[in-house]
Amino acid sequence: MPNITACFPEQVPAIKAFFTEILSEPSVEHVVTKHVVYQGTYYHLFAFTAHTFFVLERNHTPLPQLVINAITPAVEDLFYVCRASLQHSQVVSEVERRKQAEQQLTFIAFHDQLTGLPNRTHLINELNQHIELCQHHELSGAIIYIDLDSFRDINDSLGHLVGDELLCQVAQRLQKICLEQEVLGRFSGNAFVILCPSQLNLPQYLELLLRKVHQCFSSNYLIDDRSIDVNASIGVTYFSASSCDAYTVYMQADLAMSKAKVSTGTSSVFYQQDMEKQTRRRYLLDTDMRKALTQQDFFMVAQPQVNQLGEIIGAELLIRWQHSQLGFISPDEFIGIAEKTGFIIPLGEWIFEQACLCITSLQTLPLKNPIKLAINVSAKQFYQVDFIERISVIINKHHIKVSDIELELTESAMLEDIDLAVAKITALKQIGFELSIDDFGTGYSSLSYLKHLPVDKIKIDRSFVSLIDKRDDSRAIVEATMLIARTFKLGLIAEGVETQAEVDTLIGIGCHAFQGYFFHKPMPIDDFFNLLAN
């Protein structure tokens, strides 16, 4: 019997030449044979297609042709079996590879690449399944919507790498407080969601879980040796068999989260049905505000400021909106929306333009003493990089004196960036503006920053003026404010004066300038001009 050995082409040049010849030809579906003698050894070569070879080795004498003819069909059958096995193995490998690829694609499609958590699509599908379970088993569950506050500021100031690491650390803390039945996911850029399945004691269960969520933001996050304080706004809503779909439930949680945004620190708010109505109104007003500016639905009113003799010494210009369908819209409502959407910037420039027009008209009146008009400047407008350039263009356009306009800034606006506020106020003063602090005392520690701000006047907030004749605490605050004004040589005016008793008390403690309903309500500009003329 011949020996069967492992034979490599490098061992026998003739065999190597045969392999090369076979590999260079098109594949054939039959066995090709060849005999090679090398150093006294007889090699019987069998080739089938371009990738299957079989070699028999015999010493001294070759195999008879009859044996070769008998072996050839068996070798051919063996080749067929080997090829089928190889093809089967290849198919299995390909199926396995495709299966792994599909699993990877499925994971990518339903998970967030940064944190590895379920993504928005996964969360929506998961919630729809839970709503369906509620319909069959009379269950109910809850959604906790967690939005990181001021995350954009972190990205802008510290960089996106720090922002990404912060998101990962938040995800890790939240994962530690979630049990197996809860689904934690990243719903959007800086928003996470915890889907809570039905619990027999759902309110108590939620109370405990929310306490744990709050604790995730009670301590700072450490990133690259930098300690970052992060707060979150949390919205909570229930879902049950009566819930329409996942999108509606998530929208409700988002609305509740938006309500939580108005609070300081980490806070949570439960969804209420009237939130949707409020949201629709906010959306309508935001849309209509932009039309109102071009349709001249906004207008200005003036509230005179007087001295202790009742003589008009100035006025504050205030914006009003008479909606074509909804009627009068309170400034407290639409100014907040404009601040949030950024529309306050074009609106603020329109107010500045109107103030210039009013001053131009005032110059035509035979006034004994000059009247200064004050306008409010929002924080967003004030901190614009080109704020001073923008208002200077408007002033130059109307050829008025800068000193005729007084800019009012709230205390909280100045404290957003005290160094930048000082620089901007200094620049405004250099070109002739006067500036006052509105709502003084409602912000933080006033003395700690007032010495740095080169302002001209303090306006005492109405919350301290109201019932000052009856409340010792209000009187003490106003007296302290007056001492501050005298110390820093600042003007002083009391806002929101509504009764004679308040006037008498204020005069008694040394305040001699007032603004409020007791003297004059806000009035149309033409009425204000007539009042001055008469």
Side-chain angles (χ1 to χ4, degrees), residues 66-354:
L66 290 175
V67 174
I68 297 296
N69 293 342
I71 290 175
T72 299
V75 170
E76 194 170 57
D77 289 343
L78 177 62
F79 284 170
Y80 277 122
V81 171
C82 290
R83 187 172 70 171
S85 176
L86 177 63
Q87 289 175 340
H88 174 72
S89 177
Q90 290 174 337
V91 169
V92 170
S93 298
E94 179 64 17
V95 169
E96 185 64 27
R97 188 186 67 79
R98 291 191 181 187
K99 185 177 178 181
Q100 291 175 353
E102 288 174 2
Q103 290 174 342
Q104 182 67 18
L105 288 173
T106 300
F107 184 86
I108 292 173
F110 292 100
H111 289 79
D112 171 49
Q113 293 188 29
L114 178 65
T115 63
L117 296 176
N119 62 12
R120 181 191 185 98
T121 303
H122 188 150
L123 290 166
I124 288 173
N125 292 343
E126 190 80 24
L127 180 53
N128 276 326
Q129 292 175 18
H130 278 276
I131 292 173
E132 189 174 345
L133 283 175
C134 290
Q135 293 169 348
H136 289 93
H137 302 285
E138 297 183 1
L139 303 173
S140 62
I143 289 292
I144 300 176
Y145 192 106
I146 306 158
D147 189 87
L148 306 188
D149 296 337
S150 304
F151 182 72
R152 182 176 178 180
D153 294 338
I154 294 172
N155 265 341
D156 291 344
S157 59
L158 303 179
H160 289 274
L161 291 178
V162 173
D164 287 349
E165 177 60 24
L166 175 62
L167 290 171
C168 291
Q169 290 194 21
V170 170
Q172 290 164 9
R173 287 193 188 183
L174 291 173
Q175 279 179 310
K176 289 179 181 178
I177 66 169
C178 289
L179 304 176
E180 286 186 9
Q181 67 265 29
E182 293 141 11
V183 180
L184 169 66
R186 184 182 175 198
F187 197 73
S188 63
N190 58 306
F192 296 86
V193 160
I194 301 177
L195 192 161
C196 308
S198 176
Q199 299 287 330
L200 293 176
N201 57 341
L202 190 57
Q204 294 88 340
Y205 156 81
L206 271 180
E207 182 182 353
L208 176 61
L209 183 55
L210 280 171
R211 196 178 306 134
K212 291 179 181 178
V213 172
H214 280 254
Q215 288 172 355
C216 289
F217 302 96
S218 61
S219 60
N220 287 8
Y221 290 80
L222 186 63
I223 301 175
D224 296 336
D225 297 326
R226 181 185 285 110
S227 180
I228 302 176
D229 182 26
V230 181
N231 290 314
S233 299
I234 303 165
V236 187
T237 190
Y238 293 101
F239 63 85
S240 63
S242 61
S243 299
C244 298
D245 54 52
Y247 289 100
T248 303
V249 176
Y250 282 122
M251 181 195 71
Q252 292 170 352
D254 185 43
L255 290 174
M257 180 275 296
S258 298
K259 283 289 183 183
K261 283 282 184 191
V262 301
S263 303
T264 56
T266 296
S267 60
S268 52
V269 171
F270 279 77
Y271 169 76
Q272 305 284 338
Q273 283 189 344
D274 64 342
M275 289 180 182
E276 289 185 49
K277 182 178 178 182
Q278 294 171 10
T279 301
R280 284 195 296 270
R281 180 176 172 88
R282 283 201 304 270
Y283 176 78
L284 174 66
L285 294 183
D286 177 37
T287 304
D288 288 355
M289 265 194 296
R290 302 167 198 279
K291 300 177 193 172
L293 199 55
T294 58
Q295 295 172 357
Q296 299 183 340
D297 290 340
F298 288 113
F299 61 95
M300 302 299 292
V301 296
Q303 186 170 30
Q305 298 168 338
V306 302
N307 60 20
Q308 62 184 2
L309 302 176
E311 298 170 336
I312 297 175
I313 56 175
E316 180 179 0
L317 296 182
L318 303 163
I319 188 171
R320 296 291 184 262
W321 182 11
Q322 187 66 30
H323 194 284
S324 55
Q325 284 145 357
L326 301 177
F328 179 76
I329 308 295
S330 167
D332 291 340
E333 184 176 13
F334 73 80
I335 291 294
I337 298 172
E339 286 272 7
K340 188 173 182 180
T341 61
F343 184 68
I344 194 68
I345 293 184
L347 191 62
E349 291 185 2
W350 181 86
I351 292 171
F352 207 91
E353 187 95 34
Q354 298 306 304

Side-chain angles (χ1 to χ4, degrees), residues 435-449:
L435 292 102
S436 62
I437 302 177
D438 196 14
D439 303 333
F440 184 79
T442 59
Y444 302 89
S445 175
S446 305
L447 277 174
S448 65
Y449 72 87

Side-chain angles (χ1 to χ4, degrees), residues 406-424:
E406 179 183 311
L407 304 180
E408 293 188 5
L409 291 162
T410 61
E411 187 176 0
S412 56
M414 294 186 187
L415 292 173
E416 284 189 18
D417 188 332
I418 189 68
D419 293 332
L420 182 56
V422 169
K424 281 200 174 258

Side-chain angles (χ1 to χ4, degrees), residues 302-318 370-376 404 406-408 434 436 438 457-460 492-497 512-517 519-523 528 531-532:
Q303 186 170 30
Q305 298 168 338
V306 302
N307 60 20
Q308 62 184 2
L309 302 176
E311 298 170 336
I312 297 175
I313 56 175
E316 180 179 0
L317 296 182
L318 303 163
I371 298 295
K372 191 181 296 294
L373 298 182
I375 59 172
N376 292 283
D404 288 334
E406 179 183 311
L407 304 180
E408 293 188 5
E434 287 194 11
S436 62
D438 196 14
K457 185 188 295 183
I458 292 174
K459 296 188 77 175
I460 304 172
L492 189 74
I493 184 169
E495 294 185 282
V497 181
H512 304 296
F514 314 95
Q515 179 181 334
Y517 277 32
F519 296 99
H520 300 283
K521 295 180 180 180
M523 61 185 69
F528 175 61
L531 182 65
L532 289 174

